């Protein structure tokens, strides 16, 4: 099953609670914590992450294509660690 298409947005329920909605305003998730400001911050983080997920996967994929070590080109340990971390993240984001 696929997730609800993006973009997602922050919205309010009829009762003034924070929710995450699709582009047509239909609820995806309602945040039910006791602190409205924290619910808004959490929802904003979720919406930002979801709406940028595809682009992040795309960018990491392109980055990793350009960092393949050809002909023994030297990389520092820090550079190689960053490349390895990007590859691991890509695997996690796009199994």
């Amino acid at each position: 099953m696929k997730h609800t298409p993006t973009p997602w947005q922050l919205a309010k329920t009829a009762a003034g609670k924070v929710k995450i909605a699709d582009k047509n305003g239909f609820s995806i998730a309602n945040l039910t914590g006791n602190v409205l400001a924290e619910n808004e911050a959490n929802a904003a983080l979720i919406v930002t992450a979801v709406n940028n997920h595809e682009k992040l996967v795309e960018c990491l994929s392109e980055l990793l294509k350009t960092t393949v070590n050809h002909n023994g080109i030297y990389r520092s340990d820090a550079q190689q660690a960053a490349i390895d971390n990007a590859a691991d993240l890509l695997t996690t984001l796009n199994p």
Side-chain angles (χ1 to χ4, degrees):
M1 176 178 283
K2 291 192 170 212
H3 63 76
T4 304
T6 57
W8 292 6
Q9 61 186 346
L10 241 130
K12 297 275 183 153
T13 67
K17 302 274 185 174
V18 178
K19 74 175 184 177
I20 297 171
D22 69 6
K23 66 181 180 180
N24 298 312
F26 294 108
S27 289
I28 296 168
N30 294 325
L31 282 81
T32 59
N34 292 327
V35 181
L36 181 62
E38 187 174 81
N39 288 344
E40 289 173 342
N42 290 339
L45 178 62
I46 292 166
V47 167
T48 299
V50 168
N51 288 343
N52 288 287
H53 177 269
E54 190 174 314
K55 186 172 184 176
L56 177 60
V57 168
E58 203 174 278
C59 290
L60 282 172
S61 295
E62 288 302 312
L63 176 66
L64 290 173
K65 285 179 193 174
T66 65
T67 58
V68 174
N69 191 354
H70 295 290
N71 302 321
I73 296 172
Y74 174 77
R75 286 194 190 117
S76 70
D77 290 343
Q79 288 170 319
Q80 189 59 53
I83 291 166
D84 293 344
N85 287 338
D88 289 345
L89 179 58
L90 184 58
T91 300
T92 300
L93 293 172
N94 197 31

